[in-house]
Amino acid sequence: MLFHTLLFYVFATVLIGAALGVVFARNPVHSIMFLVLTFFQAAVLWLMAEAEFLAIVLVLVYVGAVMVLFLFVVMMLNVEVEAVKRGLVRYAPLAIVISLIMAVELVQLIWVRGAVTGASYGFAPNPEGYDNTKALGAVLYTEHVYAFEIAAVVLLLAIVAAITLTMRKRPGLKVQDIGKQVSVRAKDRVRIVKMKSESKS
Amino acid sequence: MIDLMPQFIVNIWDSLPPLVQYLTVVTWKILFVTICVILAVAFSTYFERKVIGSMQSRVGPNRVGPLGLGQPFADVIKLLIKEIVIPTESNKFLFVIAPLLSLIPALATWAVMPLHPGFTIANINAGLLYVLALTSVGVYGVILAGWATNSKYAFLGAMRSAAQIVAYEIAMGFALVGVLMAGGSLNLGVIVEAQSGGFSNWFLLPLFPLFIVYWISGVAETNRAPFDVAEGESEIVAGFHVEYSGVAFALFFLAEYANMVLISGLTALFFLGGWASPLAGWTFLLDTPLAFIAAPSFFWLFLKISFFMYSFFWFRATFPRYRYDQIMRLGWKVFIPVTIVWIAVEAVMAWLRVGPWAGLGA
């Protein structure tokens, strides 16, 4: 148990360090790599709480897809570092207030409510043969099926909206029509002109 | 095995705490699998050059050692003693770390592969998700290498690779949804066991379109020909690893081939029954020296992996490179709809218990 606690603090320290790195790194690409590290550490903490489905999905979705696109955009845009630094100072009070509110809420949730319900520290280990994924699926598709389906439809709507935004037709846009390219015949492109050879004069 | 050991070794072993015993066994398993993968990579480079050589009416490597079998080791030694050049204007830390970032996920995924009945380094419940997560993390090596080099060619390669891998990962994920529906579990060992008991139990026939999509997406995911636009030596020199030399280049090379072996292994596992034997019902073989081909074993997995590795090289020798917009079109507009339709077909057929779908998801 001591080993477990020690591991928790090591990973939590790395997580907080990485999260600070996201804010204070000079280079935006470094910031993103710190954010990736933060997600990884959060996933490890979830694994330690035996929530392996959530942990691996966090890595799969955020590290594998979302952060790759972030990296893509940041590399393409060449963010101006000085402007970002000025913004850091300007927004610092607001950020501190928000993080304080979140910290107070967490303390309220964990300590105060924990004291009321008499919950102990740590998690009771799951019984042998317990499948995290199955348990989650059983709850999602029965008890919370409406919320789940609404979330799915909202996401679908976002996808459709994003695609329609890119579908606008500009006049004079040159696009390849693959059907036309395939059906093209030699006689449409090349005109063979037969002429008699000229005599030397 | 235990009987052969001298008594004092058995006694010392039994006196160790369980945690130490566990760590020792797992460490040896990891070392064993890693060394096997690296050897497989070394010899698949030789195999590739021989296969492509014979397809193009050449001889291939035949100078180092008998039949040229020493060629991979000669190549490794050459790369090891070459200088690593770090470009002046590059981002040095990310430049050095990028090859590692592409190699580590390629090797770490082997942890959940069931290689032989009962042999897995880590038999975890969410094995399939773990595989998906780690293969998607591998793209960071390529992107960071391209960016850290601070060269236009490398950057183009990185951008192409990022968009391509994100596109094909979705198709791969959907194909795997079909597999986990058929296998009824995220555990890779359970998926293989669901396919054991002869050829007709493999997921190959009921999930044939998903198999094709998964396999082609796998080729695209490893940046191999005909989807090797991230390297594209005729367009952008060598893409993301244009400035890498020596060991750093060797690491990228190792990662690419380790990924190829991995994708071959995973395709075999998901659709061709992994270590399951296609001749499982042939009891008349049991008394003959050929009994091992009717039994499930690593032999069959090796055969299947070798077949897929051969097809990788076959593709490279025969197909011209795809144009970039065609790659995107194939990924988004062909593969993803095909997988979604086939998942629906599979669900309905398994529900109605029709034909080869009848036994799925039991």
Side-chain angles (χ1 to χ4, degrees):
Chain A
M1 209 60 224
L2 178 72
F3 183 59
H4 205 265
T5 319
L6 195 72
L7 274 183
F8 173 82
Y9 282 112
V10 169
F11 289 129
T13 317
V14 176
L15 189 147
I16 292 172
L20 288 176
V22 177
V23 184
F24 292 111
R26 295 189 153 274
N27 190 321
V29 173
H30 289 180
S31 281
I32 290 202
M33 291 320 287
F34 273 122
L35 194 51
V36 168
L37 183 59
T38 315
F39 282 134
F40 250 109
Q41 298 303 317
V44 171
L45 289 184
W46 283 359
L47 266 185
M48 289 179 65
E50 299 191 11
E52 81 267 3
F53 180 81
L54 287 178
I56 298 178
V57 166
L58 180 75
V59 173
L60 176 62
V61 174
Y62 282 90
V63 178
V66 175
M67 295 318 292
V68 171
L69 294 179
F70 259 59
L71 206 57
F72 199 90
V73 171
V74 165
M75 283 177 178
M76 297 286 270
L77 289 187
N78 226 347
V79 182
E80 197 194 332
V81 182
E82 280 312 304
V84 176
K85 290 289 137 187
R86 264 181 273 124
L88 180 65
V89 179
R90 187 143 54 95
Y91 294 124
L94 186 64
I96 291 172
V97 169
I98 291 177
S99 46
L100 270 182
I101 293 174
M102 284 163 73
V104 167
E105 282 176 350
L106 279 179
V107 167
Q108 195 263 343
L109 191 71
I110 296 168
W111 261 338
V112 182
R113 276 193 61 194
V116 172
T117 54
S120 60
Y121 289 101
F123 297 89
N126 291 324
E128 191 79 21
Y130 171 82
D131 195 340
N132 198 279
T133 317
K134 263 187 190 144
L136 209 65
V139 178
L140 268 187
Y141 286 99
T142 54
E143 224 174 291
H144 304 291
V145 66
Y146 292 119
F148 184 70
E149 292 295 327
I150 289 170
V153 172
V154 169
L155 280 176
L156 183 68
L157 194 72
I159 296 173
V160 174
I163 293 173
T164 11
L165 280 181
T166 63
M167 292 281 267
R168 64 176 198 279
K169 285 271 185 292
R170 266 187 293 154
L173 199 63
K174 285 179 181 163
V175 185
Q176 287 155 333
D177 184 342
I178 292 171
K180 272 187 192 163
Q181 284 185 331
V182 170
S183 63
V184 90
R185 292 285 168 272
K187 66 174 169 40
D188 306 335
R189 293 282 170 88
V190 187
R191 190 166 56 93
I192 296 172
V193 181
K194 291 238 160 84
M195 59 187 287
K196 278 187 189 130
S197 54
E198 292 170 21
S199 55
K200 259 186 210 165
S201 56
Chain B
M1 187 72 184
I2 293 281
D3 300 337
L4 296 177
M5 296 274 184
Q7 188 58 36
F8 72 97
I9 292 186
V10 178
N11 286 352
I12 293 174
W13 177 253
D14 288 342
S15 68
L16 290 175
L19 183 69
V20 176
Q21 284 184 357
Y22 174 75
L23 282 181
T24 320
V25 170
V26 169
T27 313
W28 280 108
K29 276 184 178 174
I30 292 172
L31 269 180
F32 177 70
V33 171
T34 314
I35 289 171
C36 286
V37 169
I38 289 173
L39 276 180
V41 166
F43 282 105
S44 58
T45 60
Y46 168 80
F47 185 40
E48 171 172 31
R49 293 167 68 180
K50 276 289 186 192
V51 167
I52 295 183
S54 106
M55 285 183 184
Q56 296 169 344
S57 302
R58 294 182 284 115
V59 185
N62 64 347
R63 291 287 123 182
V64 190
L67 298 170
L69 276 170
Q71 189 66 44
F73 302 103
D75 287 341
V76 167
I77 292 167
K78 181 199 79 174
L79 284 170
L80 280 178
I81 57 179
K82 269 177 129 174
E83 184 190 0
I84 301 179
V85 182
I86 299 181
T88 349
E89 288 295 306
S90 66
N91 190 316
K92 292 192 182 53
F93 178 70
L94 289 182
F95 187 83
V96 174
I97 212 95
L100 294 177
L101 280 181
S102 64
L103 180 63
I104 291 168
L107 291 180
T109 320
W110 285 91
V112 294
M113 289 281 280
L115 297 173
H116 187 78
F119 184 90
T120 321
I121 296 175
N123 187 10
I124 62 173
N125 271 337
L128 196 140
L129 273 177
Y130 174 85
V131 166
L132 268 180
L134 277 191
T135 45
S136 62
V137 167
V139 65
Y140 279 98
V142 175
I143 301 183
L144 286 177
W147 182 79
T149 308
N150 200 6
S151 145
K152 290 285 182 289
Y153 287 123
F155 189 60
L156 278 173
M159 290 292 110
R160 287 175 170 199
S161 163
Q164 179 182 330
I165 289 182
V166 168
Y168 279 85
E169 221 163 59
I170 299 173
M172 270 178 124
F174 270 123
L176 292 189
V177 168
V179 172
L180 75 92
M181 276 164 66
S185 173
L186 283 171
N187 188 318
L188 297 184
V190 176
I191 290 177
V192 172
E193 262 157 36
Q195 300 178 69
S196 59
F199 174 76
S200 56
N201 284 9
W202 289 359
F203 293 160
L204 181 67
L205 284 180
L207 305 183
F208 192 72
L210 297 184
F211 162 69
I212 297 292
V213 167
Y214 186 81
W215 173 230
I216 297 177
S217 307
V219 176
E221 185 98 345
T222 46
N223 283 330
R224 290 288 300 181
F227 302 103
D228 58 343
V229 288
E231 291 175 39
E233 47 287 84
S234 53
E235 302 156 21
I236 48 173
V237 197
F240 60 95
H241 58 55
V242 64
E243 293 288 353
Y244 281 88
S245 58
V247 186
F249 172 74
L251 285 183
F252 273 122
F253 205 73
L254 189 61
E256 182 179 329
Y257 279 75
N259 266 325
M260 282 162 60
V261 182
L262 183 74
I263 290 288
S264 308
L266 288 173
T267 315
L269 226 125
F270 291 138
F271 298 98
L272 298 187
W275 39 253
S277 161
L279 313 175
W282 293 17
T283 42
F284 66 87
L285 284 172
L286 288 180
D287 296 329
T288 61
L290 286 174
F292 71 96
I293 64 165
S297 68
F298 177 69
F299 170 75
W300 279 106
L301 184 62
F302 182 78
L303 224 60
K304 290 162 189 171
I305 291 180
S306 308
F307 168 73
F308 284 119
M309 289 303 284
Y310 175 76
S311 351
F312 263 116
F313 308 144
W314 191 7
F315 295 159
R316 189 178 156 190
T318 40
F319 288 124
R321 185 178 299 132
Y322 259 77
R323 211 171 58 200
Y324 192 69
D325 61 314
Q326 291 171 334
I327 290 185
M328 284 294 137
R329 184 173 166 274
L330 185 71
W332 289 105
K333 292 191 180 170
V334 180
F335 281 174
I336 294 177
V338 164
T339 49
I340 293 176
V341 166
W342 203 259
I343 287 170
V345 169
E346 184 197 342
V348 171
M349 291 299 198
W351 185 45
L352 297 176
R353 311 233 153 251
V354 182
W357 293 275
L360 296 185

